[in-house]
């Protein structure tokens, strides 16, 4: 307070705007960290004084209060509701994040997942009391086998990257069973791959040999043959690839890999482009994860967990992990133990993400085979509509080539503007759009990868396209401020992303008492 009694502004939080007293912008309320608002003396629950008891903590006993933020119940509720309003989501608007398949999550899925029999099921209850849950796992596995044309499926992996690990562990086990464990330890990974691919290979002790993509954005049989050798265990290839293109030579690549005694791991994160059109099993794939949270619409990103079942060819099926569901007469059994089999073991404590299984099966059954095929066709149509509507202004690295479910642009068209892909993306935030994926895949300079999915109406796509066209014209007209200053209207302005990545501050420390 100053001498006239005018209060000083509350300090902490570097607010996006300091023109208001509170730092809030209208009803978008500036929210401090819970450790800053919480007080050690406040609590949302009343606990009765404990009756006298003998402590068994010994030297571990302490009278000091834990440094937990104390809040009343309304304060705690407000804290999280306010934070949630700063969170962009597919329920709030178009979310064109390439490679992530941010599609609408039908509310029917949520209704099914909340049925008490599914929501309250416990992984440790006897399977005789969870036959319905096992039936869901079996039905989903069957549907995924039909769509992939593969022999077996491991349901327990909990994300795409976890599925990659599962598939590569099956490959490693198959190679060890052939007695080649010591000699085959190289994974071929194209330069355009998602970072999880080389990371997975490295994690299980393989070394990575990279395969270049051609000028058309595809990996060629020749490039793969040139990299194949007796030390190669597997290739990890994404199809459609991360440039949004179908790998035209995939069948020839699969043959070359098999002839060389190696296995074909397909990254199936982009399955949304080909469901009902192409079966990976027919292409010669040995293992492929399916991101249920992408292709089959379960909330992901900040909104929920993933699930990454892995489809396996007959060559790899014997090495699949436990547990798996087996039908014995009328009953379903969860096979938990691997002894006496070739299974490589176990990926996770229980059977996988039950809530995601229910949502994915609900999506599959409510669409039907024809509906799923149409969803893929619409996803591809939407991406090509975006591509064709922008390619007079923005540059596409692979020319006029028709794309699959995502449209890729590079930054050549920004060359004379002095602006970068990042500037363009930040300006989109001011327009109320989550940016597309930027600077990925790495093979394309200043990449902008737009995946609209099948969920968007034509009106919604048109509004998005018009926004990008307006921004593109502004960039070319030299309206630099609109980009370099952006985002102006977000809760936070432009962040120092390099510093945030290199020197992350992950722990809040209490400022010294004044
Ligand atoms: C999303 C994605 C992954 C990883 O999946 P997560 O579920 O995020 O672990 C792997 N590869 C590609 C191409 C992806 O788009």
């Amino acid at each position: 307070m100053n001498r006239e009694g005018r209060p000083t502004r509350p300090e902490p939080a570097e607010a996006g705007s300091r023109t208001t007293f509170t730092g809030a912008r209208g009803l978008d309320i500036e929210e401090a960290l819970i450790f800053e608002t919480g007080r050690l003396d406040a609590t949302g629950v009343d606990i009765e004084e404990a009756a006298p008891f003998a402590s068994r903590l010994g030297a571990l006993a302490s009278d000091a209060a834990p440094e937990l933020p104390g809040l009343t119940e309304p304060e705690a509720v407000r804290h999280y509701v306010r934070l949630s309003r700063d969170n962009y989501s597919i329920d709030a608007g178009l979310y064109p994040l390439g490679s992530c398949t941010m599609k609408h999550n039908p509310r029917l899925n949520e209704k099914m997942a909340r049925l008490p029999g599914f929501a309250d099921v416990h992984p440790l209850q006897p399977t005789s009391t969870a036959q319905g849950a096992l039936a869901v796992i079996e039905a989903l596995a069957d549907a995924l086998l039909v769509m992939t044309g593969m022999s077996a499926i491991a349901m327990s992996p909990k994300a795409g990257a976890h599925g990659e690990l599962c598939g590569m562990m099956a490959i490693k086990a198959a190679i060890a069973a052939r007695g080649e464990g010591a000699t085959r330890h190289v994974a071929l990974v194209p330069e355009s791959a998602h970072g999880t691919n080389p990371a997975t290979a490295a994690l299980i002790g393989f070394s990575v040999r990279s395969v270049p993509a051609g000028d058309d954005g595809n990996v060629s049989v020749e490039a793969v043959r040139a990299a194949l050798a007796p030390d190669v265990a597997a290739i990890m290839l994404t199809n459609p690839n991360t440039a949004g293109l179908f790998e035209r030579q995939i069948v020839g690549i699969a043959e070359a890999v098999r002839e060389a005694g190696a296995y074909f791991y397909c990254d199936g994160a982009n399955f949304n482009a080909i469901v009902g059109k192409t079966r990976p099993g027919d292409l010669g794939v040995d293992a492929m994860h399916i991101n249920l949270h992408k292709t089959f619409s379960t909330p992901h990103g900040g909104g929920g967990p993933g699930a990454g079942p892995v489809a396996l060819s007959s060559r790899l099926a014997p090495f699949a992990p436990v547990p798996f569901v087996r039908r014995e007469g009328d009953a379903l059994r969860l096979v938990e133990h691997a002894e006496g089999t070739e299974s490589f073991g176990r990926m996770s404590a229980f059977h996988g993400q039950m809530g995601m299984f229910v949502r994915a099966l609900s999506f599959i059954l409510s669409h039907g085979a024809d509906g799923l095929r149409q969803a893929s066709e619409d996803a591809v149509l939407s991406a090509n509509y975006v591509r064709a509507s922008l390619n007079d202004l923005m540059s596409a690295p692979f020319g006029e080539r028709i794309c699959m479910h995502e449209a890729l642009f590079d930054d050549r068209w920004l060359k004379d503007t002095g602006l970068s892909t990042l500037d363009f993306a930040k300006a989109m935030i001011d327009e109320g759009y989550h940016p597309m994926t930027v600077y990925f895949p790495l093979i394309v300079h200043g990449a902008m990868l737009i995946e609209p999915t099948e969920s968007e109406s034509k009106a919604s796509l048109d509004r998005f396209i018009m926004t990008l066209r307006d921004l593109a014209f502004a960039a070319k007209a030299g309206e630099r401020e609109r980009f370099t200053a952006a985002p102006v209207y977000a809760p936070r302005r432009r962040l120092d992303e390099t510093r945030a990545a290199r020197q992350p501050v992950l722990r809040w420390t209490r400022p010294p008492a004044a």
Side-chain angles (χ1 to χ4, degrees), residues 21-352:
F21 178 75
T22 54
R25 297 167 155 275
L27 299 182
D28 276 337
I29 294 168
E30 177 61 26
E31 183 64 5
L33 294 179
I34 197 168
F35 293 98
E36 291 162 345
T37 43
R39 302 169 309 279
L40 294 180
D41 60 344
T43 171
V45 283
D46 292 323
I47 303 175
E48 276 177 40
E49 197 68 41
F53 64 96
S55 168
R56 287 190 283 171
L57 288 173
L60 294 172
S62 165
D63 284 338
E67 299 251 304
L68 294 174
L71 298 171
T72 65
E73 182 172 314
E75 284 172 330
V77 169
R78 281 182 189 156
H79 178 72
Y80 289 107
V81 168
R82 287 171 178 179
L83 288 186
S84 76
R85 290 175 47 146
D86 282 344
N87 200 12
Y88 194 80
S89 69
I90 186 64
D91 291 345
L94 191 151
Y95 207 139
L97 201 59
S99 214
C100 295
T101 312
M102 305 303 288
K103 64 167 73 175
H104 171 64
N105 302 297
R107 290 305 179 264
L108 178 64
N109 301 356
E110 299 304 319
K111 197 171 169 184
M112 294 299 115
R114 281 163 176 70
L115 290 174
F118 293 133
D120 299 340
V121 74
H122 191 282
L124 289 177
Q125 76 190 61
T127 50
S128 62
T129 66
Q131 289 289 301
L134 296 187
V136 164
I137 298 177
E138 188 193 40
L140 177 60
D142 285 348
L144 296 175
L145 286 174
V146 169
M147 283 181 252
T148 54
M150 308 272 285
S151 296
I153 190 146
M155 298 297 286
S156 61
K158 292 185 168 149
H162 203 212
E164 289 174 34
L165 186 63
C166 172
M168 292 302 280
M169 284 170 78
I171 289 172
K172 194 172 180 178
I175 286 172
R178 281 176 8 202
E180 293 184 295
T183 50
R184 284 191 188 267
H185 48 75
V186 172
L188 303 184
V189 181
E191 290 168 341
S192 57
H194 194 267
T196 50
N197 293 185
T200 297
L203 193 64
I204 62 164
F206 284 174
S207 47
V208 174
R209 187 174 297 154
S210 90
V211 185
D215 292 339
D216 61 352
N218 280 158
V219 174
S220 69
V221 180
E222 292 75 59
V224 172
R225 278 196 196 282
L228 280 169
D231 60 359
V232 173
I235 187 169
M236 299 183 82
L237 190 70
T238 309
N239 188 51
N241 68 23
T242 58
L245 302 172
F246 196 91
E247 287 290 354
R248 286 168 168 159
Q249 302 192 28
I250 189 166
V251 173
I253 292 171
E255 280 164 9
V257 167
R258 191 169 291 216
E259 274 166 29
Y263 293 90
F264 182 1
Y265 187 90
C266 183
D267 181 328
N270 295 334
F271 199 36
N272 202 45
I274 58 172
V275 172
K277 309 291 285 185
T278 305
R279 298 191 311 166
D282 297 338
L283 304 175
V285 168
D286 285 306
M288 185 184 93
H289 74 260
I290 300 161
N291 305 61
L292 294 186
H293 46 294
K294 294 179 180 172
T295 309
F296 300 107
S297 89
T298 66
H300 62 299
V310 182
L312 300 167
S313 68
S314 58
R315 301 207 296 163
L316 291 180
F319 305 96
V322 287
F324 51 83
V325 176
R326 178 178 285 160
R327 181 167 286 280
E328 289 175 353
D330 281 343
L332 292 167
R333 190 160 79 86
L334 201 57
V335 179
E336 294 267 14
H337 298 287
E339 288 84 39
T341 75
E342 289 185 290
S343 165
F344 73 73
R346 177 177 277 278
M347 290 298 294
S348 59
F350 299 116
H351 43 59

